[in-house]
Amino acid sequence: MTTTTTPPPRTGLLVVQPVKRRHCAECRGGPLSLLVLEEGTPRCLDCADLGHLVFLPRGDTALTRRSREGSALSAVVVRFNRRRGRYERQGVLVEEAALARAEERCLADAEARRRRRARDARRRAAEDLRFTDAFAKEIRRLFPGCPDDRACAIAGHASVRGSGRVGRSAGGRALSEGAVTSAVRAAVRHTDTPYDQLLMSGVPRHEARRRIAPTVEATLAGWRAGGGVSGGAGVSGAERA
């Protein structure tokens, strides 16, 4: 008679995925992929009256819970991990009808979650649009000379959800003057001056900012006063080199 190591006791039925080749002590069938230990003696699922159950691997907690709740008979499947020296759960055996019902419920839940995600996405999009509009209005209030299309572009860029940009900072969400001005200044720096080209040519960031500062401040001053200033006016030919 073949024996094997007995898993630790637990509530409910326990089925083992054997590490070694095992045969049923009753019908001699095998080698067994799953077995039940009765007083240390292996028996196949049919001899243990569990042959009508189906195996559900671990991984989907909701499906497992619902399958076991709907199954009149179920068992936990374990396998011995030699490296860790312990039995580890591999899944459950449940009635096939219970598994089918559980799958239908989980699919219904998945559809409900999909619809909820779609609603949430639409809600966030509407909130983002309102926030971007408010940000653009605040830009136009502080900088009445800023063209409408530039104000909208700056607001859209600064307020992208999850971007970490100034529009999503605490000050940006509060539409503070400092945050809005920082967003406008950054946009002017990158769009209306050769700042990016200076960085690409190897000019250190602080030096590049120093070179383009007159253009940035002149543009901001013009927008504050209600008039436009050409972006490249404050940078000399030497500074562009």
Side-chain angles (χ1 to χ4, degrees), residues 16-230:
V16 177
Q17 283 185 349
V19 177
K20 298 180 180 179
R21 292 167 61 90
R22 302 291 181 184
H23 289 74
C24 177
E26 189 167 329
C27 70
R28 303 301 179 185
L32 304 175
S33 59
L34 295 172
L35 59 85
V36 176
L37 291 173
E38 294 180 347
E39 298 180 353
T41 302
R43 283 180 169 78
C44 67
L45 296 187
D46 287 334
C47 291
D49 296 327
L50 301 179
H52 63 293
L53 302 182
V54 294
F55 178 60
L56 172 61
R58 65 181 181 182
D60 190 326
T61 303
L63 182 60
T64 297
R65 173 175 54 79
R66 286 172 169 171
S67 296
R68 296 195 71 187
E69 288 174 352
S71 185
L73 185 65
S74 66
V76 174
V77 178
V78 297
R79 182 180 178 86
F80 188 72
N81 186 318
R82 291 175 174 174
R83 182 171 60 85
R84 296 182 177 180
R86 68 187 186 195
Y87 278 89
E88 296 179 342
R89 183 171 177 147
Q90 303 300 307
V92 294
L93 291 175
V94 293
E95 294 171 339
E96 188 170 5
L99 175 58
R101 290 192 297 269
E103 287 174 336
E104 290 178 359
R105 292 178 62 190
C106 288
L107 285 175
D109 282 355
E111 176 61 19
R113 287 194 297 271
R114 186 194 65 78
R115 291 195 299 267
R116 184 169 61 248
R117 286 195 297 268
R119 290 195 302 271
D120 290 344
R122 289 193 295 269
R123 174 182 53 79
R124 287 192 298 269
E127 291 174 352
D128 290 348
L129 183 59
R130 288 193 295 269
F131 176 67
T132 300
D133 287 344
F135 204 96
K137 289 177 181 177
E138 187 63 12
I139 291 174
R140 288 191 290 268
R141 187 185 73 82
L142 295 173
F143 302 93
C146 178
D148 286 347
D149 58 340
R150 288 296 304 278
C152 291
I154 293 169
H157 179 79
S159 60
V160 173
R161 183 183 291 269
S163 64
R165 295 169 187 154
V166 65
R168 285 296 170 177
S169 65
R173 291 194 300 272
L175 298 178
S176 71
E177 181 175 345
V180 174
T181 301
S182 293
V184 175
R185 177 176 283 108
V188 170
R189 181 187 302 130
H190 289 285
T191 305
D192 301 299
T193 77
Y195 179 67
D196 293 349
Q197 294 94 312
L198 291 172
L199 294 181
M200 290 298 293
S201 66
V203 177
R205 181 172 61 87
H206 294 296
E207 174 61 18
R209 286 198 175 193
R210 185 193 67 78
R211 293 187 189 184
I212 56 92
T215 299
V216 173
E217 296 308 320
T219 302
L220 295 184
W223 284 357
R224 284 193 185 97
V229 175
S230 175

